[in-house]
Amino acid sequence: MNIFRYESSKIWSKRIVLIGLALLFAWFVFYFYVSNKDYECVDNGVVYHGTTAVAKNKEIVKQFEGPMTMEKAKKIVDLYGFSVYEDPTETGYYRGGNYCSQWVTDYLTPYTETYSYDADELAFYSGDQSEKLEEYTSGDLNFTYLDGWKALMMCLNMMILLLDFIIVIAVANVFTEEYTLKTAPILLTTEHGKARGIWAKVLAAISFSVIAYLLVVGIVLVSFCCFYGTDGLSGSAALMGRLAPEIAGIFGTSVGAVLAETLLTGLISVIMSTCITLAVSAACKQPFTSILAGLGMFILPYIYVNYIAPLLPSVGIVKLLELFAKWCPLYLPIRIVGPKFLPALIFVLVVSISTALLGYHQYKNYEETS
């Protein structure tokens, strides 16, 4: 336990780690303020702002809660009309309406394809596109107020992604610094050096990542719930664009289920980042090289998916590698849905355990190979 505490304190006391976490939380404060300072709701010509706008939106939504049908959608339009952004050259970046009118406009009309400034030009999908109406108005989806959860999960995905970068930098020198300081041969000859001492480093790195993740998640959840409230967890995630209507997450299709899956994938993404970086740290002999290699391993899946795979023939191995790349930490916070979740979880566990063991054995055998 003393070894574990010592290794943990080494990670938490690094100036670059503290600065990184401070910048992360400063960015969150800025993002939260900017994204919510202009939150509005318009009802009968009266403009509501901030938490008052949230309360008014919830009041309006109460009339239409429950299974979303075409009858409800038409009633929303009859009462509140469609909601579009006004010409920015005249009014700036402004959109009137309320949650209900904005949702109907975004999901049941071609507005997101045209972004017309004239609401009178809009109409519900028709003709060949009428099937899009059926997806959302069949009565299978539970309509409720979801602005808060949608904003929260967008922010959460970005925060986890940024945290992954900090974790790579924090963990990259766990083993490398012992090589640099020439203390590795000494530590490996102590009573617990080749067993307990190495695992203490591994567990300290993982615990740092998990604790930092829980802090980030806690701050984001508390902040958004204080502003938007906790209503809507039973609503259908498809109604805020998180899932196609016919797809279910591993825990179900409700917002609460999707939030749980998002939090789980975020957790395994930071653990996977930690274990991969530990393997890199044990393989590199210089701190700067270790950080660069760790960041390179983090970004590599994105490079493969967007720049390498498109140039290769569309054969099985290329598609399989692309699938594995999308199960790496850079993509995990965005969430994996439906039947792909369990295979992805198994992949993450295998990679995490394998890379942690690889780092352990690389460092353990340092004396013999150096």
Side-chain angles (χ1 to χ4, degrees):
M1 182 59 71
N2 289 334
I3 302 176
F4 171 76
R5 288 177 180 173
Y6 173 70
E7 295 296 340
S8 294
S9 66
K10 284 169 62 177
I11 297 175
W12 283 101
S13 61
K14 290 179 181 178
R15 184 175 299 177
I16 191 171
V17 174
L18 297 177
I19 292 174
L21 291 174
L23 289 175
L24 178 63
F25 291 121
W27 179 88
F28 169 71
V29 172
F30 173 77
Y31 175 88
F32 185 80
Y33 170 75
V34 170
S35 62
N36 295 315
K37 70 182 180 68
D38 295 325
Y39 187 79
E40 294 180 347
C41 170
V42 181
D43 183 32
N44 292 324
V46 180
V47 181
Y48 300 87
H49 301 274
T51 53
T52 307
V54 172
K56 176 53 69 172
N57 266 328
K58 290 181 181 180
E59 180 184 321
I60 294 172
V61 168
K62 286 289 183 184
Q63 308 171 64
F64 309 102
E65 277 188 331
M68 173 50 65
T69 62
M70 197 62 208
E71 182 182 354
K72 284 185 179 179
K74 289 179 178 178
K75 187 176 180 181
I76 290 172
V77 175
D78 289 342
L79 290 174
Y80 304 107
F82 293 114
S83 172
V84 300
Y85 284 101
E86 298 183 10
D87 190 339
T89 59
E90 298 178 4
T91 62
Y93 196 67
Y94 175 76
R95 185 182 191 182
N98 54 61
Y99 175 81
C100 293
S101 61
Q102 290 174 3
W103 183 88
V104 168
T105 303
D106 290 344
Y107 288 87
L108 304 184
T109 77
Y111 175 64
T112 54
E113 301 166 15
T114 63
Y115 284 102
S116 170
Y117 297 131
D118 188 356
D120 293 333
E121 295 180 358
L122 288 177
F124 289 113
Y125 284 118
S126 60
D128 295 339
Q129 295 182 311
S130 59
E131 61 183 27
K132 295 182 180 180
L133 288 179
E134 296 174 7
E135 288 181 348
Y136 291 103
T137 60
S138 62
D140 297 329
L141 300 177
N142 185 28
F143 183 77
T144 188
Y145 177 72
L146 300 177
D147 259 356
W149 297 116
K150 183 177 181 179
L152 182 149
M153 281 190 264
M154 287 178 61
C155 177
L156 196 58
N157 288 334
M158 288 187 285
M159 289 288 285
I160 294 172
L161 186 61
L162 293 173
L163 178 62
D164 273 321
F165 276 100
I166 295 173
I167 287 171
V168 170
I169 295 172
V171 176
N173 291 330
V174 166
F175 293 121
T176 308
E177 68 179 356
E178 306 296 357
Y179 304 148
T180 306
L181 297 173
K182 308 296 183 183
T183 54
I186 300 173
L187 293 173
L188 290 170
T189 57
T190 61
E191 181 181 358
H192 302 297
K194 287 196 173 185
R196 193 181 301 173
I198 303 177
W199 284 118
K201 289 178 176 293
V202 172
L203 294 177
I206 293 175
S207 69
F208 162 79
S209 301
V210 171
I211 292 172
Y213 173 78
L214 294 177
L215 285 172
V216 166
V217 168
I219 289 173
V220 172
L221 283 174
V222 169
S223 300
F224 276 90
C225 287
C226 286
F227 188 86
Y228 290 99
T230 58
D231 312 61
L233 285 173
S234 61
S236 296
L239 295 179
M240 61 176 186
R242 295 293 299 185
L243 289 175
E246 72 280 4
I247 297 178
I250 190 66
F251 300 132
T253 59
S254 70
V255 172
V258 170
L259 177 62
E261 193 173 332
T262 300
L263 295 176
L264 178 57
T265 52
L267 178 61
I268 62 178
S269 81
V270 299
I271 293 175
M272 189 178 181
S273 289
T274 304
C275 293
I276 292 174
T277 308
L278 284 172
V280 171
S281 177
C284 295
K285 301 299 185 289
Q286 297 297 325
F288 186 67
T289 305
S290 181
I291 292 176
L292 285 182
L295 292 174
M297 291 294 291
F298 183 74
I299 299 171
L300 183 61
Y302 178 84
I303 297 174
Y304 178 81
V305 169
N306 291 276
Y307 297 103
I308 299 177
L311 301 177
L312 301 176
S314 184
V315 294
I317 186 64
V318 174
K319 291 182 178 180
L320 184 63
L321 288 175
E322 185 174 357
L323 180 63
F324 287 163
K326 290 182 178 179
W327 289 348
C328 288
L330 183 65
Y331 288 97
L332 274 177
I334 301 173
R335 220 177 61 80
I336 299 168
V337 301
K340 292 182 180 179
F341 183 86
L342 288 179
L345 182 59
I346 294 171
F347 171 79
V348 169
L349 290 175
V350 169
V351 171
S352 298
I353 294 172
S354 300
T355 50
L357 288 173
L358 178 62
Y360 169 83
H361 285 290
Q362 284 179 317
Y363 181 72
K364 180 181 179 180
N365 297 323
Y366 170 77
E367 186 177 23
E368 300 172 10
T369 58
S370 61

